[in-house]
Amino acid sequence: MSISAGSYRYMKDLKAEKPNEMVTNGVLSSLQNFLRKCLIAILSYGPMPKHIAFIMDGNRRYAKFRSMQQGAGHRMGFSALIASLLYCYEMGVKYITVYAFSIDNFKRDPSEVETLMQLMEEKINELLENRSVINKINCKINFWGNLDLLCEPVRLAAQKLMASTAGNTGLVFSVCMPYNSTSEIVNAVSEVCAERKELLQSEHAGDCNGHAANNGVHSEISVADLDRHMYSTGCPDPDIVIRTSGETRLSNFLLWQTTFSHLQNPDPLWPEFSFRHLVWAILQYQRAYPYLEQNRKLAKKQL
Amino acid sequence: MLLLSHSSSATTTHGLAAAPPACSRRARLLLPRARAADTTGVGADRAAEALLQSGLRPESLPRHVAVVMDGNSRWARARGLTPADGHKAGGRNLERIVGLSRAWGIRALTAFVCSRENLSRPMAEVDYMMGLSEWLIGDNIDKLSRQGIRLQVIGDTTKMPGSLRSAAVQADEATRHNSQLHLMLAICYSGRWDMVQACRELAREAQANQLSPDDIDESLVAGKLATSAAGEFSCPDLVIRTSGELRLSNFLLWQSAYSEFFFTDKMWPDFGEAEYLEALRSFQGRDRRFGQSRLL
């Protein structure tokens, strides 16, 4: 039996129970799984997104509203993340990208940043040690961002996790941390410029006709060149971008890649995001799909 | 103003069979002179009063508003009109929004008129809209100059007809020193194109050894974007998209990194003063943190 998101939360909350209660809970859980599978099967008759991106907003407000300690909201958010990952896997979504930490977030209170870094290191190491979730969904994990800005323990853990899952061929899970879309674009522009300069220098060295080589620079750089140097190269653009907590902005997330994505901003805070919210998101996507697809085709003609 | 709907439902060329040259008499017959939005004197005072009565604080208004003017054709179809009528209505509405923006002290307004994706539409439709755009720009230069509005056309000039390029250059030269409101019309524009052309400029400079690729940073890239002429107002604080579509459609991608989005089901010709005030009230209520904690 594959690990379902419902089972994941169930196992996490398991307490000492009487045998009768255990049987009842087991039956309810099985029924829940069956109903979820039925609903996913019905959804699958319509177009399903291949790539969903999440801006996991609202963890701190969740903790504040419940008078929880600093960091507790983010821990609940991590549980919601794993659950959403497994739901998406069941639905056949191939790519999941999450905005875990923005470069701008470094400007926050140092104690909060420290708490977040410790949480990230702890969870990455948990995934490295207990590979049940990763193995079940054959997950390949990427970290997109300027990893040099991370402290060494977190950076090393992230690199180790990327290396250990590099050969997996199932769901592709990309974690943006620490990330800014404008930094990603600057990095791509810089690499393209360096690539062109190197190309022309090597042409100069090997070719007497320098004038012809010069004219090629600006006419050759294209969208595809920049695409190749983005962190997301090889991944399709997100079909849906979901920002929880009702905020309606991208906050410097995947600006290049979300050109024709369906933007959604549900009101629940990220730790409250559940299966029914994901189902509703996909239903909205399916409703807008004809317009989205036509615009993508028009865009491709102009590239 | 030219308004090529960004919705995929605007696919007909009904009513656009004759593509009038920009300044021909036939064009003037087809395009009744739009009623100018009164932005001076009594009209401006009334607009300012409406702002105060709506509970908006002038200091909380966005400095730069960007609009994706979607829904003209659907608006026309719902009324049994032609798409051309929808675009004319959209043009009149843009004039109204420009006037309101100026009266309310908004410093920059960017309107998404025609995307590069729209160029894939039937040639007759595209030609007609380019002609319409050129005629309206040329016809409004004097009025804009009187009102202190700087008009700039941003977009891929290689995709524009020569006459439209000339009209854009003329408008830019005539209004360059105006400072009340910086109006940018995005024609044949796309966010990805903007970043590619910025990359080409920087590559050219790197090739000429004017800079090293390692020196390229966010300010250098931003300085090469089409909106850079707006200086400190080059990034929109608020992006409004009408007609219920929930996407960016390749508009001001870099510049909208921290923009607040406002999506409304109203079609663009119906997006009037009340709707604009609603968008501004929504903006006033947003908690903009720019990635940081809220200051207590």
Side-chain angles (χ1 to χ4, degrees), chain B residues 2 22 119 126-134 156-168 187-188:
Chain B
L2 169 64
L119 299 177
V126 174
D127 286 346
Y128 179 87
M129 292 304 170
M130 292 292 170
L132 176 61
S133 178
E134 177 194 333
D156 187 355
T157 53
T158 64
K159 303 287 184 184
M160 297 180 201
S163 52
L164 176 55
R165 274 202 301 274
S166 301
I187 301 177
C188 302

Side-chain angles (χ1 to χ4, degrees), chain A residues 55-264:
Chain A
I55 301 177
M56 304 181 291
D57 200 8
N59 296 311
R60 288 182 298 164
R61 273 169 281 173
Y62 182 87
K64 185 181 171 187
F65 293 155
R66 288 159 180 75
S67 304
M68 296 163 84
Q69 287 181 344
Q70 181 176 305
H74 289 95
R75 288 183 180 278
M76 297 298 294
F78 181 79
S79 295
L81 170 60
I82 296 299
S84 295
L85 203 65
L86 295 170
Y87 291 139
C88 287
Y89 171 73
E90 284 188 62
M91 290 178 173
V93 179
K94 173 81 173 167
Y95 299 88
I96 303 292
T97 302
V98 296
Y99 201 6
F101 193 85
S102 164
I103 294 176
D104 295 323
N105 294 154
F106 279 119
K107 298 173 194 165
R108 289 185 177 179
D109 185 78
S111 67
E112 183 184 345
V113 175
E114 178 69 23
T115 303
L116 286 170
M117 289 295 134
Q118 284 173 357
L119 176 66
M120 281 186 218
E121 185 187 351
E122 176 191 324
K123 293 304 175 187
I124 292 172
N125 286 328
E126 253 181 46
L127 287 171
L128 278 167
E129 288 160 19
N130 179 9
R131 298 180 63 91
S132 57
V133 171
I134 293 176
N135 289 342
K136 282 294 178 182
I137 62 178
N138 199 13
C139 181
K140 178 180 177 183
I141 299 181
N142 298 319
F143 285 91
W144 293 349
N146 192 345
L147 298 182
D148 292 336
L149 295 177
L150 294 172
C151 56
E152 193 175 354
V154 182
R155 185 176 68 250
L156 290 176
Q159 287 168 342
K160 195 173 172 186
L161 187 58
M162 273 198 288
S164 72
T165 60
N168 292 351
T169 55
L171 187 145
V172 178
F173 177 39
S174 303
V175 182
C176 293
M177 58 165 259
Y179 175 88
N180 261 0
S181 190
T182 45
S183 298
E184 179 187 19
I185 293 168
V186 165
N187 183 64
V189 167
S190 178
E191 288 182 357
V192 167
C193 290
E195 187 181 75
R196 292 293 164 171
K197 189 174 179 181
E198 204 176 302
L199 182 68
L200 286 161
Q201 282 171 351
S202 62
E203 283 180 1
H204 271 286
D207 187 357
C208 300
N209 190 7
H211 178 70
N214 282 340
N215 286 342
V217 175
H218 62 87
S219 63
E220 289 173 353
I221 293 174
S222 67
V223 167
D225 290 317
L226 282 174
D227 243 350
R228 258 188 311 112
H229 290 274
M230 295 289 171
Y231 301 141
S232 57
T233 186
C235 283
D237 291 341
D239 297 295
I240 308 175
V241 176
I242 298 173
R243 179 171 188 147
T244 50
S245 83
E247 302 285 3
T248 323
R249 53 180 182 260
L250 284 177
S251 293
N252 216 336
F253 179 58
L254 300 182
L255 301 172
W256 175 268
Q257 296 87 343
T258 51
T259 306
F260 296 101
S261 304
H262 193 242
L263 306 178
Q264 299 181 13

Side-chain angles (χ1 to χ4, degrees), chain A residues 60 104-105 108 112 182 190 197 214 218 221 237 248-249 251-252 256 259 261 263 291 295 302, chain B residues 8 116-117 120 192 200 204 207 209 213 218 246-247 249-250 257-261 287 289 291 293:
Chain A
R60 288 182 298 164
D104 295 323
N105 294 154
R108 289 185 177 179
E112 183 184 345
T182 45
S190 178
K197 189 174 179 181
N214 282 340
H218 62 87
I221 293 174
D237 291 341
T248 323
R249 53 180 182 260
S251 293
N252 216 336
W256 175 268
T259 306
S261 304
L263 306 178
Y291 290 145
N295 274 278
Q302 285 300 317
Chain B
S8 58
R116 292 181 90 239
E117 287 77 36
S120 301
R192 285 187 173 183
R200 288 175 182 171
R204 205 176 286 126
Q207 170 58 21
N209 291 319
E218 292 192 14
L246 300 177
R247 57 183 189 272
S249 293
N250 219 344
Y258 298 100
S259 304
E260 296 289 335
F261 299 123
D287 179 19
R289 300 186 293 273
S293 303

Side-chain angles (χ1 to χ4, degrees), chain A residues 262-280:
Chain A
H262 193 242
L263 306 178
Q264 299 181 13
N265 57 326
D267 288 332
L269 305 175
W270 175 248
E272 298 166 341
F273 191 81
S274 65
F275 179 69
R276 63 185 176 93
H277 300 116
L278 187 59
V279 167
W280 182 241

